[in-house]
Amino acid sequence: MTDLRSTPELDAAETFSFRTADGVDLRLRRVGPVDAPAVLLVHGHGVSSEMFALPEIRNITDVLADAGYQSWLLDWRGSCRLPYNESGSPYTFDDVALYDIPEAVARIRDRIGERPLFVVAHCIGALALSLSMTAGLLPGLAGVVAQGVFLTPKVSTSARVRVLLGSELLGSRVSHIESDFRKVGLWSRRTLLYAALSRKGDCPDPTCRMVHHGWGMGAKLFEHDHLDPRTHNRLAELFGAIPLSVLPHLRQMELAHAVVRWNVDDDRYAALPENALDHADRIDCPVLLLSGSRNEAWLDSNKLCCEVLSARNPGLDVRYTEIPSYGHLDTFIGRGAALDVFGHIVDFLDETSARSA
């Protein structure tokens, strides 16, 4: 099997490696009480499952364990702890929706039996999850929490233009964008490009400036002051490379204001709907849509999603909660997220569990 990068944080938990149907090696970690309801945690792009398990703060797995839930942390193919963003074959989020998430759910179900299984997904992980769910590939989930975005992606005009330029102008010349400025160095032929991408912001750390403003896409990924200094000091560990090959799929989704399939002429992906929003009636569990009030990455995408789903699918249990003063990623990695954010998630899980008991 492909050598998966190992870290002390990953090795400290019970870890399961598995291979998807298209031959990609992924990883799950299980933490929390035995014989408890399970929660699959799905990270965003360019980070890893470590975003849910930061040891310097009271993280979501700590809170879930105290509330009586078992966490399963997935590293899908977009994880910075796996090699695929830098050296793997190009992929789209169709692959994540068709292979990664359903296979992870199947592996968890093999271990937990009939116990309830929830999913908490962030950003691109939530987009891929919505495509899996509306394809009918994840029946019987107990409930879903989607942070930042779900079925109706929406970005600012400036971000849209930057994604267009990035995919058209850089895609043929640069395969991926590094987050850690130290990996670029001062004498690389790409130094000026990375300097331009990381020019925004007042922080003296160029890696922070790079990721804080979305790798040059013009949208802040977090509220800088919400980070614990220890988290800030290891941003280069927490963020990895972003492959530019995924940008055309993101651009297509945003233009449609819906999660759409990229591989429309490839029969291997025929199980996925061409437009996920048109098949939202396949969602068979309660959904909590979360977003920070200062989310510059996806604006009010989840508020819009709640309104659209409530109008088009009135039988669906969907609700929207906005977190005051929070941005996008700080809803999970912020030093105060345990107090300000995670309680909403636990309350939703508890309420849903009680109703189905």
Side-chain angles (χ1 to χ4, degrees):
M1 294 177 70
T2 302
D3 181 32
L4 302 182
R5 301 174 189 177
S6 180
T7 68
E9 294 86 0
L10 289 176
D11 293 338
E14 188 177 7
T15 303
F16 306 86
S17 296
F18 64 95
R19 177 168 288 177
T20 64
D22 65 332
V24 175
D25 294 316
L26 305 179
R27 182 165 44 202
L28 280 165
R29 289 186 285 162
R30 187 197 61 78
V31 297
V34 179
D35 297 330
V39 181
L40 170 62
L41 299 170
V42 185
H43 62 78
H45 207 209
V47 288
S48 72
S49 63
E50 182 66 9
M51 66 171 280
F52 300 117
L54 301 180
E56 63 269 18
I57 64 172
R58 180 163 165 77
N59 60 62
I60 183 65
T61 64
D62 296 332
V63 172
L64 289 174
D66 288 346
Y69 294 91
Q70 180 184 98
S71 295
W72 288 80
L73 290 76
L74 170 65
D75 281 289
W76 52 272
R77 69 188 68 196
S79 169
C80 65
R81 296 300 176 97
L82 303 178
Y84 308 115
N85 288 334
E86 297 182 42
S87 59
S89 300
Y91 62 87
T92 70
F93 302 120
D94 290 354
D95 298 295
V96 185
L98 183 62
Y99 300 117
D100 298 10
I101 296 176
E103 183 64 26
V105 166
R107 297 299 175 117
I108 296 170
R109 289 198 188 279
D110 286 344
R111 292 296 300 265
I112 69 172
E114 297 301 316
R115 296 202 304 274
L117 173 59
F118 295 89
V119 181
V120 175
H122 170 75
C123 192
I124 298 300
L127 285 178
L129 174 68
S130 74
L131 192 54
S132 295
M133 294 179 71
T134 55
L137 300 178
L138 305 176
L141 294 176
V144 162
V145 179
Q147 201 297 119
V149 66
F150 190 51
L151 278 166
T152 55
K154 176 183 176 184
V155 303
S156 67
T157 300
S158 62
R160 183 184 302 120
V161 171
R162 288 168 183 265
V163 169
L164 171 62
L165 292 176
S167 59
E168 296 295 335
L169 299 181
L170 299 179
S172 61
R173 301 173 180 84
V174 180
S175 62
H176 61 274
I177 296 177
E178 291 285 359
S179 297
D180 185 355
F181 199 86
R182 295 171 300 180
K183 291 185 178 180
V184 182
L186 295 176
W187 305 109
S188 167
R189 61 181 181 177
R190 299 178 182 174
T191 299
L192 291 178
L193 168 63
Y194 282 83
L197 294 177
S198 62
R199 73 188 188 282
K200 279 192 172 184
D202 299 324
C203 182
D205 182 349
T207 295
C208 177
R209 294 201 302 271
M210 174 75 81
V211 300
H212 186 210
H213 291 277
W215 300 278
M217 298 304 166
K220 290 193 300 184
L221 293 188
F222 51 83
E223 290 296 308
H224 195 271
D225 292 343
H226 284 179
L227 298 191
D228 184 285
R230 294 166 293 180
T231 303
H232 182 273
N233 288 341
R234 63 190 195 97
L235 287 176
E237 300 173 31
L238 299 176
F239 289 85
I242 297 295
L244 295 184
S245 59
V246 302
L247 290 185
H249 195 185
L250 279 179
R251 183 180 50 158
Q252 185 184 47
M253 288 186 185
E254 199 283 323
L255 288 174
H257 285 312
V259 174
V260 296
R261 188 172 97 213
W262 176 258
N263 298 282
V264 293
D265 298 320
D266 191 329
D267 290 342
R268 291 175 298 175
Y269 300 91
L272 301 176
E274 291 191 18
N275 186 312
L277 190 58
D278 291 339
H279 294 272
D281 57 336
R282 292 178 178 171
I283 298 175
D284 60 355
C285 66
V287 177
L288 171 63
L289 303 172
L290 285 179
S291 183
S293 64
R294 300 176 183 173
N295 188 338
E296 292 189 11
W298 297 106
L299 303 180
D300 59 348
S301 292
N302 268 355
K303 182 180 180 181
L304 172 64
C305 187
C306 186
E307 293 169 352
V308 171
L309 288 179
S310 297
R312 295 178 57 165
N313 304 91
L316 177 63
D317 181 356
V318 58
R319 64 197 77 174
Y320 171 69
T321 297
E322 191 168 284
I323 312 299
S325 83
Y326 273 74
H328 183 47
L329 189 56
D330 44 323
T331 50
F332 284 106
I333 69 171
R335 65 180 185 273
L339 292 174
D340 301 327
V341 182
F342 301 156
H344 294 289
I345 296 175
V346 171
D347 287 348
F348 171 77
L349 302 183
D350 287 347
E351 178 190 337
T352 305
S353 297
R355 285 196 324 220
S356 61

